Amino acid sequence: MMHNPIRNDKGIALILVLLTVSVIVVLTLQLNVSSRAQVHEAANLSDGIRVLYIAKSGVFAGMGLLSEDRGDADTLNEAWARTEGLREQSRDYFDGGHLELIIEDESGKININKLVQGNAFNPGVKGALSRLLSQPEFKLQGQEVEDILNAIKDWIDPDSVVTANGAENAYYQGLGKSTTVRNGPMESIDELLLVRGISPELYRGTPERPGLSRFLTVYGEGSVNVNTAPKEVLRALAPSITEDAANRMDDYRKNPANSLTDPSWYRRVAGLNNTAIDAVTLVTRSEHFQLASTGHLGTMKRTIRGIVKRDSDRKLSIVAWRIG
């Protein structure tokens, strides 16, 4: 039987056309997918930059609040300490985004570096830290508290002598880690995570207990602002300050009718007229503040943390800055 060459050519041509169209469709789909991915990546990059700048704007807003504060004492009644409303207000300034800002007074915390004087414990600060760690919320036994304080002392003091159940380089090297004891003042409170006995749960806190990092600092000369100290720190300042007494102190200082310029105001609180706080020096003005600003945009968020120092002229300088 003879084949019709014309019909065969037409069939081959049709197959070639179909193959060509199929290749074009596949390439077009691939190009479309690639283009959409690039657009998505570009959008994510753009949103990432936007959310970072929202967070940065919160830091600058916080610095503005601190520099404009002209009170005779730093208290929890001032604008810098009450930034909750900024969340909703900021929605008017950022299209689809908002920010959250928390300002903490570092001067209201206990300076961990003051635990050591020379090669020995500073007895006043040791007493305050012991009372802090012994509070039921931290769920530590008496020996655990003592061991932690010894390990912190060994981390800070300049010698290499182990303090009781403390820890010097031999202990950390025995763990197979490259950790080296600083033998000097901590540069960041995060260093506590390297110290024997300080677990991430103890440091950062859990739903069942607060984080130790909220109450300690490495900034300042060791004095504590009694106007802004967390209630846990108030309880640590003297053996006679119970949880109930700390609550009464907190109520007193939050009453705007009460003067808080004199650090001995706590003696006017019921039941504390004979209480003496001498573990640390008390003040009512602060120098160092921590700002934590979180920018939100859709499902994205970025946090910037900074430590600022405010001088007597209310001028601010950035001491530390960290994203994340």
Side-chain angles (χ1 to χ4, degrees):
M1 179 182 293
M2 297 289 295
H3 293 285
N4 189 333
I6 298 178
R7 293 182 62 184
N8 283 342
D9 290 344
K10 286 183 177 180
I12 293 173
L14 178 60
I15 292 173
L16 290 174
V17 169
L18 290 174
L19 287 174
T20 303
V21 170
S22 298
V23 171
I24 292 174
V25 169
V26 170
L27 291 175
T28 301
L29 289 174
Q30 182 62 40
L31 179 62
N32 183 50
V33 170
S34 178
S35 298
R36 288 168 65 89
Q38 291 178 5
V39 169
H40 185 66
E41 290 176 2
N44 279 342
L45 178 60
S46 175
D47 286 348
I49 294 173
R50 287 178 62 198
V51 76
L52 180 60
Y53 274 91
I54 291 175
K56 284 185 177 182
S57 68
V59 172
F60 293 126
M63 293 176 67
L65 289 173
L66 290 170
S67 63
E68 291 174 5
D69 173 29
R70 292 291 186 269
D72 294 328
D74 292 304
T75 76
L76 297 175
N77 297 321
E78 296 177 304
W80 64 262
R82 310 179 72 173
T83 58
E84 301 87 356
L86 193 59
R87 177 188 178 102
E88 292 305 317
Q89 294 174 6
S90 66
R91 295 183 188 275
D92 296 332
Y93 298 98
F94 305 109
D95 184 20
H98 67 278
L99 64 83
E100 293 178 288
L101 174 65
I102 298 174
I103 301 178
E104 293 182 356
D105 182 5
E106 291 293 296
S107 303
K109 305 174 183 180
I110 300 173
N111 191 326
I112 193 69
N113 285 329
K114 302 304 177 182
L115 176 62
V116 174
Q117 284 181 325
N119 287 318
F121 276 115
N122 178 330
V125 176
K126 182 185 180 183
L129 288 172
S130 179
R131 288 188 288 272
L132 176 67
L133 289 167
S134 298
Q135 292 173 20
E137 292 87 340
F138 291 107
K139 306 180 186 302
L140 296 173
Q141 301 300 315
Q143 189 59 53
E144 289 179 294
V145 171
E146 191 67 23
D147 291 348
I148 287 173
L149 293 179
N150 289 333
I152 295 174
K153 173 184 176 295
D154 285 340
W155 186 271
I156 297 172
D157 67 24
D159 65 33
S160 298
V161 179
V162 178
T163 305
N165 291 326
E168 289 284 355
N169 276 326
Y171 167 80
Y172 297 103
Q173 292 168 1
L175 298 177
K177 298 181 179 180
S178 58
T179 303
T180 301
V181 173
R182 180 173 290 279
N183 285 341
M186 293 186 185
E187 295 182 357
S188 166
I189 199 65
D190 290 346
E191 278 186 47
L192 276 174
L193 284 167
L194 302 175
V195 176
R196 177 183 182 180
I198 305 292
S199 66
E201 293 76 19
L202 176 60
Y203 180 79
R204 298 191 178 97
T206 68
E208 293 75 32
R209 67 182 181 187
L212 187 60
S213 61
R214 290 176 47 201
F215 314 114
L216 304 177
T217 186
V218 298
Y219 301 104
E221 299 304 316
S223 55
V224 171
N225 187 335
V226 69
N227 296 342
T228 62
K231 288 187 285 185
E232 290 84 352
V233 172
L234 294 179
R235 290 159 58 187
L237 295 178
S240 59
I241 301 180
T242 62
E243 182 178 0
D244 183 58
N247 288 334
R248 294 198 304 275
M249 292 173 69
D250 190 50
D251 290 339
Y252 184 93
R253 66 186 181 178
K254 287 182 178 178
N255 186 341
N258 295 326
S259 173
L260 302 178
T261 56
D262 182 351
S264 64
W265 60 256
Y266 67 90
R267 294 179 183 271
R268 300 195 291 269
V269 176
L272 295 178
N273 57 309
N274 292 322
T275 296
I277 296 178
D278 53 15
V280 297
T281 301
L282 298 183
V283 295
T284 60
R285 297 288 292 272
S286 301
E287 287 187 340
H288 291 88
F289 298 85
Q290 179 182 162
L291 296 87
S293 176
T294 301
H296 295 263
L297 188 65
T299 59
M300 300 182 69
K301 68 177 183 179
R302 296 294 296 274
T303 298
I304 296 176
R305 297 182 182 275
I307 300 292
V308 297
K309 181 178 181 182
R310 188 178 62 185
D311 64 22
S312 57
D313 295 326
R314 290 311 200 233
K315 293 181 180 179
L316 296 176
S317 57
I318 297 176
V319 177
W321 178 279
R322 182 177 67 190
I323 297 177

